[in-house]
Amino acid sequence: GMSLQELVERAMSRAEGVQATSTEFESSTVSLASDRLKSVRSAQSTAVTVRVVVDGKLGISRTNDPDDRKGVVDRALDAAEFGSPGLVSFPGPAPLPEVKVHDEAVPTVTPAEMGTLGEGMIARVKEYSADILLGAGIGRSVGRHRLANSAGTNLSEESTSFALGLHGQRVRGTDILWV
């Protein structure tokens, strides 16, 4: 498919300003319920958004189809005809602070390891009190974010996230305690 820079160049044939962004996510989620593994899910998504300014009016289009890059540009240009007028300019290249949003260890964690983490959390609580019914969720994601515009900005960044949670329910007679 076309690079973001190629999308910008294509749209600039009819626009005064263009900005294109893309986000790709890959994630895995492991769920445990009633003290045991319930599900393992993996997902991937891609989104491309194009903003254009034509005759001072903004047009925006978005697609989740990585092969629809020509169409997303054409739809943004068409939408600008009906867009809101206003001063829209896109940021030029500028020094940015470095913020660490990527941990190299996260992409390599497997769903099996995530399940083992959840089982370990459950086992630890069971040592404390065997009559608590437990569930857990462990998730990780890796994102790739890119931005290119007609002002010469061209950015790329990878981010990761890792989260885990544990919940429990203890029933004694008619008393239910959620934790």
Side-chain angles (χ1 to χ4, degrees):
M2 275 188 252
S3 71
L4 286 187
Q5 195 57 49
E6 289 170 322
L7 288 183
V8 169
E9 290 165 13
R10 176 182 175 77
M12 281 303 289
S13 65
R14 287 175 46 202
E16 297 135 43
V18 180
Q19 183 162 286
T21 57
S22 73
T23 304
E24 298 168 30
F25 270 107
E26 178 267 312
S27 65
S28 296
T29 307
V30 174
S31 298
L32 295 94
S34 303
D35 301 340
R36 61 182 63 87
L37 185 65
K38 180 182 172 189
S39 68
V40 177
R41 290 192 317 266
S42 291
Q44 290 183 312
S45 67
T46 300
V48 175
T49 303
V50 176
R51 291 174 173 81
V52 298
V53 179
V54 180
D55 297 328
K57 294 190 283 186
L58 182 65
I60 302 173
S61 181
R62 179 181 165 101
T63 184
N64 295 84
D65 179 355
D67 297 324
D68 185 35
R69 294 196 168 202
K70 176 185 177 299
V72 75
V73 169
D74 293 343
R75 287 189 300 278
L77 290 165
D78 291 345
E81 187 180 332
F82 309 100
S84 302
L87 180 63
V88 179
S89 63
F90 299 111
L96 297 172
E98 274 208 36
V99 179
K100 186 172 172 26
V101 293
H102 183 269
D103 184 330
E104 297 78 25
V106 171
T108 63
V109 179
T110 65
E113 291 169 319
M114 293 162 64
T116 300
L117 265 174
E119 289 164 354
M121 291 190 305
I122 287 172
R124 188 79 188 264
V125 174
K126 288 288 193 180
E127 288 171 16
Y128 163 75
S129 179
D131 66 343
I132 299 178
L133 197 56
L134 292 152
I138 302 92
R140 69 155 187 82
S141 68
V142 179
R144 280 171 285 290
H145 318 277
R146 294 182 183 88
L147 178 147
N149 68 28
S150 53
T153 298
N154 201 334
L155 303 172
S156 177
E157 169 182 84
E158 268 203 20
S159 64
T160 55
S161 71
F162 191 87
L164 46 91
L166 180 69
H167 55 89
Q169 176 187 18
R170 184 171 69 192
V171 179
R172 286 191 177 153
T174 57
D175 293 337
I176 299 175
L177 173 66
W178 286 94
V179 262

